[in-house]
Amino acid sequence: MKKENIIGKTLLAGGYTSFGLLVAAIVIALTVDEGVGLTVGKVALLILMATPILRILAALLGYVAERNRRMAMIAVLLLVIIGVATSLGMSLS
Amino acid sequence: MDALQILLLIVTGAVAGGIGALVGIGGGIIVTPVLALYFGLPIHQAIGVSLLAVIATSTASAAVNVERRLVNVDLGMTLELATTVGAAGAAVVAGFLSRRTLAMLFMGFLVYTAGSMVKRAWGARAEALEAGTPEYTLRNYPAGLTASLFAGALSGLLGVGGGVVKVPVMHLWMGVPLRVAAATSNFTIGVTAATSAYIYYGRGDVNATVAVPVVAGIFCGALGGTRLAPHVRSVYVLLLFIAAAVWMAAQMFLKIRAGALS
């Protein structure tokens, strides 16, 4: 599978899972229980926030399969930057 | 929260996502001011929700554009090295800025974006619907990375995508065709917005009660807009967007003057 297809499928999976859960959350909040709906909604938002990271991992997989060493290193570096920047940012704010 | 308010938030998201997909912006530029002006959300929280809206727009449109080979994935991921650094730095800074300062910065950004869209609308008034993409060679990576650092900072500070900065630089200085530049920018804003979203989330500035309906609406609007995009003359959507941006900038100005956002 080409890296474009791996990335596309990953984004599609993350997007649709999150969207499906968001719709479910709204329906549950309106018909069953607001608290339960909010919990489902929070899970949906966390999946949404994780999707970009999964996308980088998908690209990394594609680059490794292509034996594109330079871009694979950029993908790893990107993950390191995000990890360091967010943990540093959280401790600062 | 009652059903009507949930519905209004879904509609807000759908309109922002739809216009965003049609004009090629993240949708954050609409979500932040609408939540701050009309739903009474503190601007830091409005930005937090908006960042999630940007991730959703990027995810929905990139899922389609990557497989259509419209996105230059290598270029996008390289520029993300800079956008993420800018985003994280600005997300921290935003935590220390007052509501008033953030509102003023946002107002400036609205006016700037409206201005750059006027230019684009003028250029697009006779445009034909775009077809294929021409061959191109990339140049001037330093300029692209610098612009990306700045675009990332805008994203972390104001909860927008930053495409208004990145797309022209990619197009004019790096030699990327406009359609590819727009699609690539849209691809990168997901990772960029996620980086600052983690910091906003950690600070408690992501209000899930508001974010859930808005993001659900964004997905609907973005999916619809991406489908519609090849069949719509962008100039009309641009004009609609410009009018909305100017209107919201004026409203923000009045609120800042009245001290309502301080």
Side-chain angles (χ1 to χ4, degrees), chain B residues 108-162:
Chain B
F109 181 72
L110 273 171
V111 172
Y112 170 78
T113 307
S116 78
M117 292 293 160
V118 167
K119 243 166 73 185
R120 232 178 83 185
W122 184 251
R125 69 198 184 285
E127 105 188 334
L129 293 171
E130 274 185 85
T133 49
E135 291 284 316
Y136 61 97
T137 334
L138 284 174
R139 52 170 202 265
N140 211 347
Y141 263 97
L145 286 168
T146 310
S148 297
L149 188 71
F150 184 62
L154 266 183
S155 175
L157 200 59
L158 303 176
V160 297

Side-chain angles (χ1 to χ4, degrees), chain B residues 155-170:
Chain B
S155 175
L157 200 59
L158 303 176
V160 297
V164 206
V165 178
K166 252 179 302 163
V167 175
V169 170
M170 269 193 252

Side-chain angles (χ1 to χ4, degrees), chain A residues 17-65:
Chain A
T17 310
S18 165
F19 180 49
L21 285 174
L22 286 170
V23 174
I26 295 169
V27 173
I28 293 171
L30 287 177
T31 56
V32 187
D33 181 82
E34 203 162 317
V36 177
L38 190 61
T39 308
V40 175
K42 278 184 181 163
V43 173
L45 295 179
L46 288 175
I47 292 174
L48 178 71
M49 287 199 285
T51 301
I53 303 299
L54 294 176
R55 191 211 84 192
I56 300 174
L57 289 171
L60 177 60
L61 219 84
Y63 287 131
V64 170

Side-chain angles (χ1 to χ4, degrees), chain A residues 3-5 9 11-12 19 22 34 41 48-49 52-53 55 59 63 71 78 81-82 85-86 89-90 92-93, chain B residues 1 52 55 59 63 66-67 69 73-74 77 80 84 88 92 187 190-191 195 198-199 201 203 215-216 219:
Chain A
K3 72 167 180 293
E4 278 84 0
N5 301 94
K9 298 280 182 290
L11 289 170
L12 220 56
F19 180 49
L22 286 170
E34 203 162 317
L48 178 71
M49 287 199 285
I53 303 299
R55 191 211 84 192
Y63 287 131
M71 282 310 302
L78 188 56
I81 289 179
I82 295 173
T86 48
M90 280 187 200
L92 282 175
S93 48
Chain B
M1 188 177 292
L52 296 194
I55 303 175
T59 303
V66 170
E67 295 214 49
R69 305 293 191 273
V73 175
D74 293 7
M77 300 219 9
E80 280 164 6
T84 46
V92 173
F187 171 75
V191 166
T195 306
Y198 302 143
I199 296 174
Y201 192 87
R203 202 160 55 208
V215 175
F219 271 121

Side-chain angles (χ1 to χ4, degrees), chain A residues 75-86:
Chain A
V76 171
L77 183 62
L78 188 56
L79 288 170
V80 172
I81 289 179
I82 295 173
V84 172
T86 48

Side-chain angles (χ1 to χ4, degrees), chain B residues 198-221:
Chain B
Y198 302 143
I199 296 174
Y200 276 78
Y201 192 87
R203 202 160 55 208
D205 277 336
V206 173
N207 183 330
T209 319
V210 178
V212 168
V214 170
V215 175
I218 285 276
F219 271 121
C220 298

